[in-house]
Amino acid sequence: MNSPESSLRSLPSVDKVISDERIKQIEAGYSHPLLIELVRGYLEELRQQLKSGAAAPTFDAIIETVIARAAARQRPSLQRVINATGVILHTNLGRAPLSRETIEAMEETSPGYVNLEMDVRSGARGSRQTHIKTLLRDLTGAEDGIAVNNNAAAILLALSALAKGKEVIVSRGQAVEIGGGFRIPEVMRQSGAKLVEVGTTNITYIADYEAAITPRTAALLRVHSSNFRIVGFTQSVTLEELAALGKKHSLMVLDDLGSGCLLDTSRFGLDKEPMVQESIAAGASLSFFSGDKLLGGPQAGIAVGSRPLVERMAKHPLARAIRIDKTRLAGLIATFIHYQKGEALEKLPVWQMIAAELASLRGRAEAWAEAAGGAASVEKGESEIGGGSLPGDTLPTWLFAWKPGGPGASQRVRALSATLRAWEPPVLGRIGKDTLFLDPRTVLQEEDAVVVEALTGTSQDRNDE
Ligand SMILES: *Cc1c(COP(=O)(O)O)cnc(C)c1O
């Protein structure tokens, strides 16, 4: 065996690699300094590996790795994946998949110019918000509305424009972290509004809010508890009660709904997610919600409510910094039109997933199990809504389950999970009880073929016959 020193000496120089014919060929599509940096970095990695006793790769293997790495750098790392986790609004996987009509609207407004901020009939300058205002009014019953980059931005804008330097009263149980380190209180602080927490984590009475009102109070805020649920001895105040108190003291009532549901989720055996129309009807001055949660559209944040308040938000300088772009605006409008036409359930993937029939889910899971063979079967399980909607609430489902059993089962389950994640496109499931689960509910029908292909293609890795 070679000593580490002699194999270190056997490593080629950067120049030798760069001047190889095969590298010269890829150089055409790649800038020279980038290529040198890539080769230098790789040789340095090899040097470290050799020092710790690894064997030196052949010159040809080095060239092949450099070519593969150069190609990988030019492939976008952001790519499509297949979500078989059973979490419908998976924030790490980009939340709501879009309807065909939404995608078409986004495509149509992409290649050329659009009348984004121009009234084409008069030729006068307009606002991008005019395109969505009527829909927001029709669908929520609110006087006016505005769409921005996302819900966190909508709340930040509202507080900056309407409550800067003033106090906003919120129940302690609602001053929550909603995932990804995003804490409502911290966003609010950015706006210059002062958060006044009242009550305890599980109990807040309307009298607690009233006792906290001072001449500096601007608003009463309700925040939908997104990704947690307090059970047992609890007491919280209804929006109607807050609205009445707000009216009595001439204070704004702000309602952060989180998901922003326009349909009643209780018809699917779920708890009732607060609805935007009901928030407005109950007397919220402004209600806030996301575009890409239960609404089922592209990322956006929407505020609906009182016209003077919406107008003040629109005029604030921050509105410019967080504005929505033309493509997402077009997609959001197309998504809202599904609700206006009464076809949201049939057209929006999020609602199709929620409404999926158990028999059909079972059939698909069975087809996958058949493709996989061996230790694969189907099992009853639960799907989640996710994205901070309906915390703790689940939908019954049928799962593909791969349970190899025996010694080393948990490693083998992890190994198959890794192989499926390395598939093109990656197939993401979930692991539990030494079993790999794939939930058909969150897999689009047209993706079934890919799942079957991946399960067939990974049969050697499964090795469970
Ligand atoms: C998800 C959520 C937000 C943030 O919405 P984004 O659109 O992701 O910015 C804010 N408040 C609540 C209650 C939420 O559930």
Side-chain angles (χ1 to χ4, degrees), residues 73-387:
R73 284 243 192 139
Q74 289 177 337
R75 255 197 319 268
S77 72
L78 185 65
Q79 62 172 153
R80 178 157 192 177
V81 301
I82 294 185
N83 173 15
T85 64
V87 181
I88 298 176
L89 297 169
H90 202 303
T91 296
N92 302 145
L93 303 182
R95 292 192 184 152
L98 304 176
S99 76
R100 174 97 339 255
E101 289 77 0
T102 302
I103 298 162
E104 278 166 10
M106 293 173 86
E107 273 175 7
E108 216 172 283
T109 46
S110 293
Y113 300 95
V114 292
N115 62 339
L116 185 62
E117 294 187 340
M118 185 184 282
D119 178 342
V120 280
R121 258 185 282 171
S122 67
R125 196 182 158 181
S127 155
R128 66 186 64 203
Q129 301 294 339
T130 54
H131 304 288
I132 198 164
K133 266 182 200 295
T134 312
L135 275 169
L136 291 177
R137 285 202 295 260
D138 288 352
L139 290 167
T140 68
E143 222 172 52
D144 205 353
I146 181 171
V148 295
N149 183 66
N150 63 345
N151 189 22
I155 296 164
L156 176 63
L157 173 60
L159 293 175
S160 305
L162 309 169
K164 188 172 179 162
K166 303 207 183 103
E167 293 172 357
V168 174
I169 305 175
V170 65
S171 159
R172 187 155 281 128
Q174 296 172 1
V176 293
E177 178 169 345
I178 62 163
F182 167 61
R183 292 182 175 88
I184 286 280
E186 277 169 22
V187 172
M188 294 184 64
R189 223 163 281 136
Q190 294 302 314
S191 71
K194 180 166 182 274
L195 198 60
V196 178
E197 292 179 24
V198 296
T200 61
T201 311
N202 60 334
I203 313 251
T204 308
Y205 299 108
I206 192 73
D208 294 328
Y209 289 88
E210 189 152 29
I213 295 174
T214 74
R216 293 173 304 281
T217 307
L220 309 172
L221 170 71
R222 180 175 83 157
V223 182
H224 179 44
S225 65
S226 296
N227 52 4
F228 74 107
R229 179 144 76 161
I230 298 173
V231 293
F233 183 53
T234 66
Q235 174 73 44
S236 62
V237 165
T238 66
L239 192 59
E240 284 84 354
E241 288 176 280
L242 273 190
L245 186 64
K247 203 164 187 182
K248 181 172 158 197
H249 294 272
S250 306
L251 299 172
M252 292 179 289
V253 175
L254 309 178
D255 191 15
D256 174 13
L257 292 162
S259 214
C261 200
L262 292 174
L263 300 177
D264 187 348
T265 48
S266 63
R267 60 204 262 200
F268 304 103
L270 293 164
D271 288 345
K272 188 158 179 207
E273 176 75 12
M275 290 165 72
V276 188
Q277 310 89 305
E278 292 179 354
S279 170
I280 293 299
S285 318
L286 287 171
S287 308
F288 304 88
F289 57 102
S290 296
D292 53 354
K293 292 184 178 175
L294 280 173
L295 191 74
Q299 182 191 301
I302 297 136
V304 291
S306 132
R307 176 160 305 135
L309 298 183
V310 169
E311 280 172 357
R312 275 166 68 194
M313 284 172 72
K315 285 202 191 96
H316 191 274
L318 195 55
R320 173 61 187 261
I322 57 166
R323 71 185 181 186
I324 191 168
D325 76 284
K326 62 175 180 177
T327 18
R328 284 195 287 137
L329 183 62
L332 194 62
I333 290 168
T335 300
F336 274 121
I337 286 174
H338 289 314
Y339 289 93
Q340 204 177 42
K341 288 184 174 168
E343 60 179 29
L345 277 186
E346 300 91 74
K347 296 282 191 170
L348 291 166
V350 164
W351 289 108
Q352 285 175 331
M353 288 174 182
I354 290 174
E357 300 277 347
L358 267 178
S360 131
L361 294 169
R362 183 176 192 165
R364 293 169 66 200
E366 278 169 355
W368 296 356
E370 203 167 302
S377 63
V378 302
E379 265 183 39
K380 277 189 174 161
E382 314 280 336
S383 317
E384 283 175 50
I385 308 296

Side-chain angles (χ1 to χ4, degrees), residues 57-74:
T58 62
F59 184 69
D60 281 350
I62 290 175
I63 298 293
E64 270 169 35
T65 304
V66 168
I67 291 171
R69 286 191 179 190
R73 284 243 192 139
Q74 289 177 337

